[in-house]
Amino acid sequence: GLIRKPAAFISTISDERGQELMYAGMRISDVFKEDIGIGGVISLLWFKRRLPPYATKFIEMILQLTADHGPAVSGAMNAIITARAGKDLISCLVAGLLTIGDRFGGALDGAAKEFTRGLSSGQTPREFVDSMRKANKLIPGIGHKIKSKTNPDLRVTLVVDYVKKHFPQHKTLDYALAVEDVTTQKSNTLILNVDGAIAVSFCDLLYGSGAFTEEEAAEYLELGVLNGLFVLGRSIGLSAHVIDQRRLRLGLYRRE
Ligand code: LMR
């Protein structure tokens, strides 16, 4: 009769067995009663805890800032070409998402890891840059194809201003900005990019919000949750490009 089969896997974030769906112990009706927003839902499901309002607002800011960056970027182009080949929404979305990686939109976890390492090991920004060069590694979160010191990325400015105004501490962000001072001396386009700015700010949230122990903060960095923020945000824009192409009723794309 009502006997449930033994669990084949373990999950600790949500529960649909009772009368009400629960997100990390919070009833779905309370999610709305307390108006925790999508930032609140992400904090429950990704981090299994409520985060302070400035943090959930920051998560929402990230999703809004990364939602789209025009049709010319790798992800959007792939989604557009796939849409024009007449494929379904999910195929187009996945085609776009598959471009996300070290060079496009997927530098967040790497940036968080490298900047945290540099900062905690006491390297000056100059030493950090030199050590990366010596190891023949690109600095994740530094550099943009077209944005530069003279053509700044306003998304980065918005992140920096928000974090400086609302976060209790922003050591990693300050460190990354000091690294940017070093790298932009070499080339104007070696700015702290949007991935990098979000990533280092998230480190400051993990370590400075009081919502995580040091071990938990380190564990989340190790688990690699930050690229998920860009993936989630950009899925909004990729879907939008697919809808747009369908609306335009353009045929199969072929390069002239
Ligand atoms: C983006 O958000 O897609 C980018 O910063 C990449 C780009 O080249 O604009």
Side-chain angles (χ1 to χ4, degrees):
L2 285 172
I3 301 163
R4 211 171 161 123
K5 282 192 200 143
F9 57 83
I10 298 168
S11 169
T12 64
I13 55 167
S14 55
D15 196 339
E16 79 332 331
R17 290 169 303 177
Q19 275 201 322
E20 242 191 283
L21 171 63
M22 308 279 267
Y23 286 167
M26 188 174 192
R27 295 164 194 276
I28 191 72
S29 55
D30 290 335
V31 164
F32 292 97
K33 217 177 280 161
E34 300 191 28
D35 200 16
I36 69 170
I38 191 70
V41 170
I42 291 171
S43 64
L44 288 177
L45 290 179
W46 289 23
F47 303 109
K48 305 208 316 183
R49 71 200 74 200
R50 298 281 301 269
L51 292 175
Y54 77 85
T56 58
K57 273 253 163 321
F58 182 62
I59 292 173
E60 291 178 6
M61 182 181 197
I62 295 169
L63 299 180
Q64 293 170 71
L65 280 173
T66 57
D68 196 44
H69 205 230
V73 306
S74 299
M77 274 194 80
N78 254 19
I80 288 171
I81 291 170
T82 312
R84 289 186 54 174
K87 301 292 300 267
D88 61 287
L89 175 72
I90 295 169
S91 301
C92 300
L93 181 58
V94 168
L97 289 175
L98 285 174
T99 62
I100 297 175
D102 291 351
R103 293 185 181 181
F104 171 69
L108 288 89
D109 288 310
K113 193 172 137 222
E114 294 296 351
F115 284 105
T116 307
R117 183 192 51 72
L119 179 64
S120 63
S121 65
Q123 284 180 323
T124 66
R126 163 86 49 199
E127 286 165 354
F128 173 74
V129 173
D130 289 344
S131 73
M132 292 296 277
R133 188 182 306 138
K134 234 178 252 144
N136 231 336
K137 284 205 252 175
L138 293 172
I139 305 174
I142 291 283
H144 197 271
K145 279 271 191 193
I146 56 165
K147 295 293 178 189
S148 66
K149 224 38 207 172
T150 44
N151 172 31
D153 189 338
L154 212 84
R155 297 172 297 175
V156 175
T157 318
L158 288 166
V159 169
V160 171
D161 290 351
Y162 183 87
V163 171
K164 286 190 173 170
K165 186 156 175 222
H166 298 284
F167 280 31
Q169 66 88 13
H170 39 80
K171 277 188 283 199
T172 326
L173 175 63
D174 293 342
Y175 185 69
L177 289 169
V179 167
E180 178 190 54
D181 286 339
V182 176
T183 53
T184 49
Q185 279 166 27
K186 198 172 156 221
S187 161
N188 213 15
T189 57
L190 292 180
I191 53 159
L192 179 65
N193 63 31
V194 73
D195 291 19
I198 291 168
V200 292
S201 303
F202 223 95
C203 294
D204 289 329
L205 203 162
L206 287 170
Y207 282 98
S209 63
F212 301 89
T213 64
E214 291 248 331
E215 292 74 38
E216 286 172 333
E219 193 187 7
Y220 277 115
L221 287 189
E222 181 63 37
L223 289 172
V225 294
L226 302 184
N227 282 348
L229 291 166
F230 186 92
V231 168
L232 191 55
R234 191 51 58 96
S235 295
I236 299 170
L238 294 176
S239 304
H241 283 292
V242 177
I243 296 166
D244 190 41
Q245 293 302 308
R246 288 190 179 168
R247 203 164 34 211
L248 291 166
R249 297 185 199 286
L250 297 169
L252 179 67
Y253 172 79
R254 192 176 197 280
R255 218 185 86 141
E256 304 283 312

